[in-house]
Amino acid sequence: MAAPHDEAAAWSEEAARRVWAGAVPLQVHLHDADVTALPPPPAFLTLGPRIGYLPLLIPVIKAHFSNALPPGVDTVWFEYKGLPLKWYVPIGALFDLLCADPERPWNLIVHFRGYPSEILSPCEGEDSVKWSYMNSLKEATFIITGNSKSVMNMSHADQVALWESVMKGNLDGYKSISTRLKIGPFEDDGLVRTASAERKRQQNSDEPESPGSSKPCRVPVRLYVRNVQEDLEYIEDAVPVSDWEGVSYINRPFEIRKVEGRSYITLEHALQTLLPEFFSSKAASRADGSHPAGALDSAADSSDATNSSRSSKEAEQALASPREVGAAKKTKVKLIQMLKL
């Protein structure tokens, strides 16, 4: 019989592999205004990795439609039911947010002209996606360790290997690089690594104390909250999202304070702590001394602050506005989709 530690580690490994292997079937149609050939080209069918990004699919999509495209400079963007899709949001998160009644395949429209710069920030293809991903990694590292030096000091070769593993969905390649950053807030068995446990581990290994090791464990969390104003029996009956005002983008680190020992943290407890305004009772959110976390810390070093200010244009708001909080008090949580980023 497997030991609890080994069983938990095996489940954790299996969960990670399922997340990395997840994909959304896509059926991509060329927008009518971009069609210059008759008959119009057929739709393009592909699998979009749930942890991947739409701009990374552009090379194969463009090759499929190349004979029908008008001359000029391409400014590629994607649309779903009239809504321009934000390129920095993972495909899986977009699908879960916008398809309350899931389409299979998910029908998207691709444009090669007329980029909606008033809605979407500029995207220069893979380079923009890579910059956005690495910036998010630095922010997450800062939340966990107190600084982002481990990411900023990565060698060029490691940066390339890490990014290629993300693009190719190569979990083993990703783990071989990311584990050297030592930013994970969890032990191999899925338990939270507390400050005392971290200090004991360092003493046994003669490693210097890492920044932030004396602080409570903080887990970086990014939330996409879709506000559905109708009182619906089935979430599938919700009106499609017509603009991004209906989706709140929230960064709130989940702070774990344990009086003694370690325990597993449930998704329900984390959400009650992070979004108390969406739950009828706030008592559970403070069951073990945890406190609702505030906005993402802005005390990073100057380079992080610069990157954060640039990415804030993409983030809309770090916290929900008073209008959203007021609406949340009248709202029930209907559906929760989780995507490990």
Side-chain angles (χ1 to χ4, degrees):
M1 181 174 179
H5 176 94
D6 295 336
E7 185 176 354
W11 276 107
S12 178
E13 176 73 14
E14 177 64 16
R17 294 199 177 278
R18 286 178 178 267
V19 169
W20 276 70
V24 178
L26 304 176
Q27 184 166 258
V28 184
H29 306 263
L30 181 62
H31 189 262
D32 292 343
D34 291 338
V35 176
T36 62
L38 292 176
F44 179 69
L45 291 168
T46 188
L47 287 175
R50 288 186 61 88
I51 65 169
Y53 301 87
L54 288 172
L56 301 182
L57 301 176
I58 290 175
V60 292
I61 292 175
K62 183 178 179 180
H64 177 78
F65 293 119
S66 60
N67 293 332
L69 296 178
V73 179
D74 297 326
T75 53
V76 187
W77 55 286
F78 296 84
E79 167 198 335
Y80 176 64
K81 292 187 176 180
L83 179 69
L85 300 182
K86 298 199 171 185
W87 55 265
Y88 58 87
V89 180
I91 293 173
L94 287 171
F95 181 69
D96 295 338
L97 276 172
L98 304 178
C99 290
D101 186 9
E103 295 180 9
R104 292 182 178 85
W106 190 22
N107 286 275
L108 302 181
I109 294 178
V110 62
H111 298 251
F112 285 80
R113 302 291 184 273
Y115 195 84
S117 55
E118 71 282 359
I119 299 175
L120 304 179
S121 64
C123 178
E124 303 298 330
E126 181 186 330
D127 288 342
S128 293
V129 181
K130 178 183 178 181
W131 174 87
S132 177
Y133 180 88
M134 296 302 295
N135 186 64
S136 294
L137 183 60
K138 286 193 290 184
E139 290 178 348
T141 306
F142 178 81
I143 290 172
I144 297 170
T145 68
N147 65 57
S148 56
K149 292 181 180 179
S150 61
V151 177
M152 297 179 65
N153 293 338
M154 287 177 64
S155 67
H156 177 71
D158 280 352
Q159 289 186 41
V160 171
L162 183 71
W163 177 240
E164 286 186 349
S165 68
V166 173
M167 289 197 301
K168 297 177 181 178
N170 181 2
L171 177 59
D172 292 331
Y174 176 83
K175 289 174 64 176
S176 68
I177 302 296
S178 63
T179 51
R180 298 207 294 266
L181 300 178
K182 297 181 179 179
I183 60 175
F186 297 96
E187 303 283 10
D188 291 338
D189 58 4
L191 294 174
V192 176
R193 180 186 298 137
T194 60
S196 59
E198 175 68 8
R199 284 195 295 271
K200 183 177 180 180
R201 182 188 66 81
Q202 291 164 357
Q203 291 170 0
N204 293 338
S205 61
D206 296 325
E207 292 182 7
E209 185 173 352
S210 61
S213 62
S214 61
K215 300 178 182 179
C217 177
R218 303 178 76 203
V219 180
V221 177
R222 177 168 294 170
L223 301 166
Y224 298 93
V225 181
R226 176 177 171 180
N227 299 316
V228 179
Q229 300 301 330
E230 305 94 335
D231 186 11
L232 303 172
E233 183 176 359
Y234 300 104
I235 191 66
E236 292 86 353
D237 297 330
V239 175
V241 177
S242 59
D243 60 64
W244 286 102
E245 292 298 320
V247 177
S248 303
Y249 175 102
I250 303 171
N251 280 341
R252 289 180 182 172
F254 177 52
E255 191 168 283
I256 303 171
R257 297 175 183 269
K258 303 304 292 181
V259 176
E260 59 183 38
R262 300 178 300 173
S263 67
Y264 290 95
I265 303 300
T266 66
L267 176 61
E268 178 184 16
H269 173 75
L271 288 175
Q272 287 175 337
T273 303
L274 294 165
L275 297 174
E277 63 269 26
F278 285 91
F279 293 85
S280 59
S281 173
K282 297 182 181 181
S285 67
R286 297 173 176 84
D288 64 353
S290 300
H291 302 283
L296 194 64
D297 288 352
S298 58
D301 56 309
S302 58
S303 61
D304 284 348
T306 300
N307 286 334
S308 296
S309 65
R310 291 171 64 187
S311 64
S312 63
K313 181 178 179 181
E314 300 300 319
E316 290 84 32
Q317 293 178 325
L319 292 173
S321 67
R323 174 179 61 80
E324 292 165 341
V325 172
K329 293 179 180 178
K330 304 177 183 178
T331 303
K332 296 180 181 179
V333 176
K334 297 277 188 178
L335 177 68
I336 297 172
Q337 295 280 9
M338 184 172 66
L339 177 72
K340 183 177 180 181
L341 304 178

